[in-house]
Amino acid sequence: MVDLEINSEETIREDEKRSLCCKIKCATPFCRMDMFSIIKQSIYAEDTNPITRYFQIGRQVGSCGPEMIWKIYEAIRISDQKEASVFLFEKKIADKLHKPRRKETVSEILRKEVQHLERIKHPRILNIIHPLEECGNSLAFASEPIFASLANCLGTHDRLPVPVIQELKDYKFIFYEIQCGILQITEALSYLHSTEQLVHRNVCPQSIVITTRGTWKLTGLGFSEKIREGKESTACHPWSTKFPKMAQPDLNYIAPEIQTCKTCSYFSDMFSLGILICTIYTGGSAVIDAGYNGQQYLKQLDQLTQRFGDIAHQMPLLLVEPVEKMINKDIRYRPTAQLFSLIKFFNEPVVCTLQLLDTLEQKDPFHRAEVHCQLAQVLPDIPKKILYRNVFPILCLECSMADSVTSALIPFIAMIDNASKDEYCGHILTVFRDVINMPKPVQATVNILNRLDIILNKSPIEEIRSEIIPLVFNCLESTSIQAQEAALNAIGMVKEYLDDSFMKMLVLPRAKALFYKATNVRVKINALSCIDHVLDSLDKMTILDEVLPLLTESQCQDASIVITIVGIYKHLLSDRKFGLTHNLIATKVMPPLIPQTVNPGLTMEQFSALMEVLREMLEQIDRERRNKMKQESGSPPTQRGSLNMQNGKSKDDKSASLGKSFLSVDGAVPTGIQKSRTVPSSPNLSGKLLDEKQMSVIDTSEQQRKFSLIPPVGATPGISLIADESPCSDRPRRPSTQSLGQYSFPVSWFYDARRGSYESRHSSDKSRRPSTHSVGILPISMFGEGGQKERKPSTHSLGIMPISGIDDDQFFIDCRHRRPSAGPFITPEFDRRGSKNSLFGMGDAMKGGQRRASFQALGESVMQFFSSK
């Protein structure tokens, strides 16, 4: 607490002292006490400013005004404990002015300044929160919290206590501070000129104060002049040595027309502003240094253009030309304050946003929300110094008000995101804790929960458990759907800070309750997602007793809910610890899921996800059942076919797995395949069964054949379509699209039916058309309707059996009553270099009339060839 009392020895005359001492000596001890109290009260009443009744006054932080006669003190208002600043003028400063009239002139100028400040309300002009208080030796008033004056920050430390506080001594401006500060003073002058019709007349560093938020405020209105309506200028007194310096404007910033013509206008303030800008960029050195001498001022005024050229390189390029016009001696070249505020130098998003923040208190909630959104976008570009000094106090104030906290949390959380952990814990955490605990709209809580990941990354664990987790669980019980959704989503982020028992006893029951009572699809989905997040924290019995019934009994047909349930099943299938056995899958899980495969609401991606899970379930059932059957029978299990039908598996892989399903493991004949086979038809065997010796050979070679083109032992030797000894073995062939795989026509099929060798085996009571399922390498068009018609060679042929090489009419008459054998069609070793219409390279001979009379001869030749082979 600064003692504002003035020593009684300085104010009481010597004769009064002697008389008081005599009275005190003669008085009784009781009277002496009364006398001391009377003296003390009289001294306090005269020398103590009444402002001390309303404010607790702290240390001195700055000084301002003409000759820096205002002392600025830190203060706290007693009524509401709000921060403030007290401006104090001690009248003894003017005691060196010997003429009493001059002393009173100084006080009168200061009274006029405070009166203007009390009347004018503008965000760029110093805000007075307590009116002027006067006592016998001082003047004082209170304002918003002030850091220092611009003159103090530029190095002028007059009337400051020694030593100067380190914060002020080391103060350095950054680019955005100067940019915003100049614009703020320009806006203040624009308001004075256009609305108040006042000329400030003393725009200089001593008349500008900087608030604790970093805003530049204009003060020093004691020299202002009113311009009458319709007039462009008014008469005023120039600077003169006849008046005390503290009772006049600063000569270094006075416009030329005031000193030479004794008139001032709005453009006079623009000249002073131009000189002020030059002083800022030169670090406090004035362009005009007249030394309180009018003649010296005029001399330096003539050199102003040259002096400006020397310092112009220190200024931003966009500011050089406008400032050069502002300090022109001809007022016609000077811009107005309103025009100067529109130059490109101030047209930056950060500057515009900071300007809007300073006027935020005057805006309605809708425009406040717009400013908050704009601030969140530019916040990463704002320097830390401005962010924590200018922006953060405004955001704290906005978050403390219920009508603006919802939108203010958007830039507030963005600020947390851009802060380091130390900055968050040192500056933001205390305020954010108050925001969490204060009553606020539901949407404000939702904004916090939606960005909870940012807060969790910066907050200490103790803070998470004490403040954030209770907030999440309180929102689970909210009646607001938005709050419930946000809380359910937040569970997945805070689960790592919760014990398993906590998840089982508190989280799971609340999520289930929300799922059952919710009518909103989004809430149901979020409840299921919450359950999915807590699965890893639950034991097997809890999952089977609490989670599985909820999933299996759900009757929801919404595709989003179905897919969310499918996702939970996929999670449960990923680990055996969840206890989802194949019995439960077959009896409980799959029955309600299978009808969803025809759900018309599923998209292609959702359907694929559902089918993938169903296949995985079938795979598990197949695997478990086979293992169990193996253990029960004690015999080696047969190799099962794969049910995995995922995309990307080649046809060869599928064929291989299909072939494996018909094979035994250790040479045994698989079930369903008979050991005895009927010998394929041939001219030599005539359909007779094999004897016992040949039967045993088949038993040993059955597993090697694998339904390939190798014929049974004892039958007509078969030759693969591309045999090893064939001259065509190195020639790859494209499989026929009409072939069904491993079965093709035997040569015996083309034997002459009229000889009766196959009549007993293949004849039937009813004539039928050969089945296309037995078609091997012959084209399908051979068996089409209208066998009597002349046909073109089929493009489906593989080049082995062209249509032109067969007598169509006779061929179909002979073949119509017989069932094709299952034996392979064998390619003989003929020269195949004939034309495409030739049969085994003999097309030219046939066309020349040398071909055999019937196809039977061809069959005999082929069989003779292979017999000799």
Side-chain angles (χ1 to χ4, degrees):
M1 179 76 177
V2 174
D3 188 5
L4 299 181
E5 302 173 4
I6 298 178
N7 198 326
S8 59
E9 294 180 359
E10 296 179 3
T11 57
I12 301 177
R13 298 177 182 178
E14 294 296 329
D15 54 349
E16 292 178 351
K17 289 182 183 180
R18 297 190 188 97
S19 62
L20 284 172
C21 291
C22 294
K23 291 179 181 180
I24 292 173
K25 289 179 181 179
C26 298
T28 61
F30 181 78
C31 293
R32 288 177 185 176
M33 293 178 63
D34 292 343
M35 188 63 66
F36 276 118
S37 63
I38 292 171
I39 294 173
K40 185 176 180 180
Q41 289 175 4
S42 63
I43 291 174
Y44 271 97
E46 182 179 358
D47 298 335
T48 303
N49 196 288
I51 202 168
T52 57
R53 303 172 188 172
Y54 308 99
F55 293 90
Q56 295 178 358
I57 302 176
R59 63 172 183 169
Q60 182 182 351
V61 294
S63 58
C64 67
E67 291 290 298
M68 312 295 283
I69 57 179
W70 284 114
K71 293 182 178 180
I72 306 173
Y73 293 87
E74 291 179 341
I76 296 177
R77 189 158 57 184
I78 298 174
S79 60
D80 56 7
Q81 298 298 307
K82 286 187 175 181
E83 294 183 357
S85 290
V86 169
F87 287 67
L88 177 69
F89 165 64
E90 296 174 348
K91 293 181 180 179
K92 68 178 182 179
I93 296 175
D95 286 346
K96 61 182 180 179
L97 304 177
H98 301 289
K99 295 182 180 180
R101 178 60 185 165
R102 291 185 177 183
K103 294 180 181 179
E104 186 60 27
T105 300
V106 174
S107 298
E108 189 63 30
I109 290 173
L110 298 182
R111 291 190 192 99
K112 178 183 177 182
E113 175 184 352
V114 177
Q115 290 173 359
H116 280 302
L117 292 176
E118 290 179 1
R119 182 179 60 84
I120 298 174
K121 300 297 179 182
H122 190 267
R124 307 302 182 210
I125 297 176
L126 183 64
N127 182 29
I128 302 296
I129 62 175
H130 190 85
L132 184 68
E133 298 283 355
E134 185 173 1
C135 64
N137 60 358
S138 64
L139 298 174
F141 67 93
S143 73
E144 58 187 312
I146 299 299
F147 169 71
S149 67
L150 179 60
N152 296 148
C153 294
L154 291 175
T156 303
H157 299 154
D158 297 348
R159 304 193 192 282
L160 288 177
V162 179
V164 179
I165 57 177
Q166 197 67 26
E167 185 180 3
L168 183 60
K169 188 176 181 180
D170 299 336
Y171 192 86
K172 299 295 182 183
F173 287 108
I174 62 175
F175 175 76
Y176 280 120
E177 279 185 291
I178 298 175
Q179 195 176 22
C180 293
I182 294 174
L183 180 58
Q184 289 161 358
I185 299 303
T186 303
E187 291 178 352
L189 291 176
S190 178
Y191 175 79
L192 290 178
H193 297 167
S194 61
T195 304
E196 299 293 336
Q197 284 81 43
L198 286 176
V199 180
H200 189 279
R201 285 190 62 214
N202 192 31
V203 179
C204 61
Q206 298 91 323
S207 298
I208 298 172
V209 293
I210 302 174
T211 67
T212 54
R213 294 183 182 178
T215 305
W216 292 16
K217 299 287 183 100
L218 185 62
T219 183
L221 295 173
F223 304 104
S224 60
E225 295 287 345
K226 182 84 172 179
I227 294 184
R228 297 179 181 179
E229 189 175 355
K231 300 291 183 177
E232 294 183 355
S233 62
T234 185
C236 63
H237 294 284
W239 195 92
S240 174
T241 55
K242 297 179 181 180
F243 298 95
K245 291 179 289 184
M246 65 180 62
Q248 298 183 85
D250 192 332
L251 179 60
N252 294 336
Y253 295 89
I254 288 179
E257 61 271 15
I258 295 178
Q259 195 66 15
T260 57
C261 303
K262 300 180 181 181
T263 60
C264 65
S265 64
Y266 303 136
F267 297 104
S268 301
D269 287 343
M270 298 309 296
F271 179 88
S272 301
L273 180 60
I275 300 297
L276 171 67
I277 293 173
C278 295
T279 303
I280 292 172
Y281 281 101
T282 56
S285 300
V287 181
I288 298 177
D289 188 8
Y292 303 106
N293 188 326
Q295 297 298 325
Q296 185 69 19
Y297 169 81
L298 294 176
K299 289 181 180 180
Q300 294 197 7
L301 190 64
D302 294 336
Q303 302 173 357
L304 183 59
T305 303
Q306 180 181 353
R307 284 175 171 266
F308 178 77
D310 296 337
I311 66 170
H313 67 278
Q314 303 179 34
M315 302 171 59
L317 183 61
L318 293 175
L319 204 55
V320 172
E321 183 179 355
V323 172
E324 185 178 11
K325 294 180 179 179
M326 292 167 70
I327 62 176
N328 197 298
K329 290 187 289 185
D330 192 342
I331 62 174
R332 294 176 298 178
Y333 291 98
R334 300 175 196 167
T336 62
Q338 185 177 7
L339 185 60
F340 178 68
S341 64
L342 299 177
I343 63 174
K344 292 182 179 180
F345 177 69
F346 303 117
N347 189 21
E348 289 190 14
V350 172
V351 176
C352 296
T353 304
L354 293 176
Q355 293 299 98
L356 292 173
L357 283 178
D358 289 333
T359 61
L360 206 57
E361 297 177 356
Q362 303 173 0
K363 298 183 181 298
D364 56 76
F366 177 77
H367 289 92
R368 282 186 179 186
E370 288 184 344
V371 175
H372 293 155
C373 293
Q374 184 175 343
L375 175 61
Q377 296 175 359
V378 303
L379 194 138
D381 299 328
I382 300 177
K384 297 290 185 180
K385 180 181 179 181
I386 297 178
L387 189 62
Y388 288 103
R389 183 181 176 185
N390 299 31
V391 178
F392 184 64
I394 299 175
L395 282 181
C396 293
L397 181 61
E398 290 293 300
C399 290
S400 64
M401 297 184 292
D403 60 339
S404 61
V405 63
T406 302
S407 58
L409 278 172
I410 299 176
F412 192 89
I413 296 176
M415 188 173 182
I416 295 175
D417 191 18
N418 287 275
S420 64
K421 285 191 175 182
D422 294 337
E423 292 171 344
Y424 174 75
C425 296
H427 297 87
I428 305 175
L429 181 57
T430 304
V431 179
F432 186 63
R433 188 185 298 118
D434 296 336
V435 173
I436 290 177
N437 296 323
M438 66 175 285
K440 52 188 174 295
V442 173
Q443 187 59 44
T445 305
V446 172
N447 289 346
I448 295 175
L449 295 179
N450 287 341
R451 306 298 299 277
L452 197 59
D453 55 331
I454 296 174
I455 300 168
L456 293 176
N457 290 335
K458 303 296 173 64
S459 300
I461 296 179
E462 298 78 12
E463 188 71 17
I464 294 173
R465 292 176 176 172
S466 62
E467 300 294 339
I468 297 177
I469 291 178
L471 174 67
V472 174
F473 282 94
N474 289 337
C475 291
L476 284 176
E477 299 177 352
S478 173
T479 57
S480 171
I481 294 178
Q482 282 185 316
Q484 291 175 357
E485 290 180 16
L488 289 171
N489 290 331
I491 291 294
M493 291 182 279
V494 301
K495 68 176 183 178
E496 59 182 292
Y497 304 99
L498 302 176
D499 298 332
D500 291 349
S501 58
F502 198 85
M503 303 288 283
K504 177 181 177 180
M505 302 301 296
L506 294 179
V507 178
L508 181 60
R510 296 189 184 190
K512 287 179 60 180
L514 281 176
F515 179 80
Y516 283 124
K517 71 179 182 180
T519 57
N520 187 280
V521 173
R522 289 167 55 188
V523 176
K524 286 183 175 291
I525 293 174
N526 289 328
L528 291 173
S529 300
C530 178
I531 293 174
D532 191 17
H533 287 309
V534 304
L535 284 179
D536 293 326
S537 303
L538 304 179
D539 57 89
K540 180 171 68 174
M541 296 308 299
T542 304
I543 292 175
L544 298 180
D545 296 340
E546 301 292 335
V547 178
L548 193 59
L550 179 142
L551 301 177
T552 56
E553 295 171 4
S554 176
Q555 301 297 326
C556 299
Q557 298 296 317
D558 187 270
S560 301
I561 297 178
V562 172
I563 292 303
T564 307
I565 293 176
V566 169
I568 298 177
Y569 280 135
K570 190 174 183 64
H571 190 175
L572 293 175
L573 290 169
S574 63
D575 201 325
R576 288 180 177 271
K577 69 178 183 178
F578 295 121
L580 197 61
T581 64
H582 68 286
N583 288 328
L584 290 174
I585 293 174
T587 58
K588 300 291 186 182
V589 177
M590 293 189 69
L593 276 185
I594 291 176
Q596 297 299 333
T597 57
V598 292
N599 189 333
L602 295 178
T603 63
M604 179 63 72
E605 293 78 8
Q606 293 171 341
F607 176 77
S608 300
L610 174 59
M611 293 304 298
E612 181 181 354
V613 171
L614 288 175
R615 291 189 186 100
E616 188 174 352
M617 291 179 178
L618 287 173
E619 283 283 349
Q620 182 169 337
I621 294 172
D622 186 22
R623 182 172 56 254
E624 296 293 338
R625 287 295 298 159
R626 288 180 180 275
N627 291 338
K628 185 175 181 180
M629 294 169 68
K630 167 190 172 182
Q631 295 173 0
E632 291 176 352
S633 62
S635 60
T638 57
Q639 187 171 359
R640 62 186 179 85
S642 175
L643 293 175
N644 188 3
M645 299 175 65
Q646 297 179 358
N647 293 334
K649 189 170 183 179
S650 64
K651 295 181 180 180
D652 294 339
D653 296 338
K654 294 181 181 180
S655 301
S657 58
L658 181 62
K660 291 178 182 178
S661 63
F662 292 98
L663 298 178
S664 61
V665 177
D666 40 349
V669 179
T671 305
I673 301 180
Q674 299 179 0
K675 294 186 177 181
S676 61
R677 293 176 55 97
T678 303
V679 181
S681 303
S682 67
N684 298 330
L685 297 178
S686 302
K688 295 182 180 180
L689 297 179
L690 298 175
D691 56 13
E692 294 179 359
K693 184 177 180 179
Q694 293 170 333
M695 189 69 69
S696 61
V697 176
I698 293 178
D699 293 341
T700 58
S701 60
E702 186 69 28
Q703 59 182 351
Q704 300 176 0
R705 294 179 57 225
K706 301 180 183 179
F707 284 87
S708 67
L709 297 178
I710 301 175
V713 177
T716 303
I719 297 179
S720 175
L721 290 178
I722 302 178
D724 294 337
E725 63 276 8
S726 173
C728 306
S729 58
D730 58 343
R731 186 178 303 171
R733 295 187 177 277
R734 186 178 63 184
S736 172
T737 56
Q738 304 299 332
S739 176
L740 297 181
Q742 302 161 347
Y743 302 100
S744 58
F745 286 106
V747 175
S748 58
W749 190 82
F750 302 100
Y751 189 69
D752 189 2
R754 288 176 292 183
R755 301 178 65 175
S757 299
Y758 301 94
E759 195 66 34
S760 59
R761 293 180 58 205
H762 300 289
S763 61
S764 60
D765 298 335
K766 185 177 180 180
S767 175
R768 60 177 181 176
R769 195 178 67 182
S771 170
T772 57
H773 291 279
S774 62
V775 177
I777 58 175
L778 290 183
I780 296 298
S781 59
M782 293 179 62
F783 302 100
E785 297 295 337
Q788 303 297 331
K789 297 179 181 179
E790 183 178 357
R791 299 182 179 274
K792 296 180 180 180
S794 172
T795 57
H796 294 280
S797 174
L798 298 180
I800 302 173
M801 199 63 159
I803 301 300
S804 60
I806 303 175
D807 190 345
D808 292 345
D809 298 339
Q810 185 62 35
F811 177 78
F812 283 105
I813 293 174
D814 293 341
C815 297
R816 197 165 292 170
H817 295 288
R818 40 176 90 162
R819 184 177 63 188
S821 172
F825 179 74
I826 302 162
T827 306
E829 292 187 5
F830 287 127
D831 185 11
R832 302 186 58 184
R833 293 173 295 178
S835 65
K836 65 179 181 179
N837 291 324
S838 64
L839 180 63
F840 304 136
M842 297 186 297
D844 296 336
M846 290 182 180
K847 291 179 182 179
Q850 300 177 3
R851 61 177 178 177
R852 305 280 178 104
S854 67
F855 196 78
Q856 177 183 350
L858 174 62
E860 292 175 353
S861 300
V862 171
M863 296 310 299
Q864 290 175 5
F865 172 82
F866 289 125
S867 297
S868 62
K869 193 74 172 177

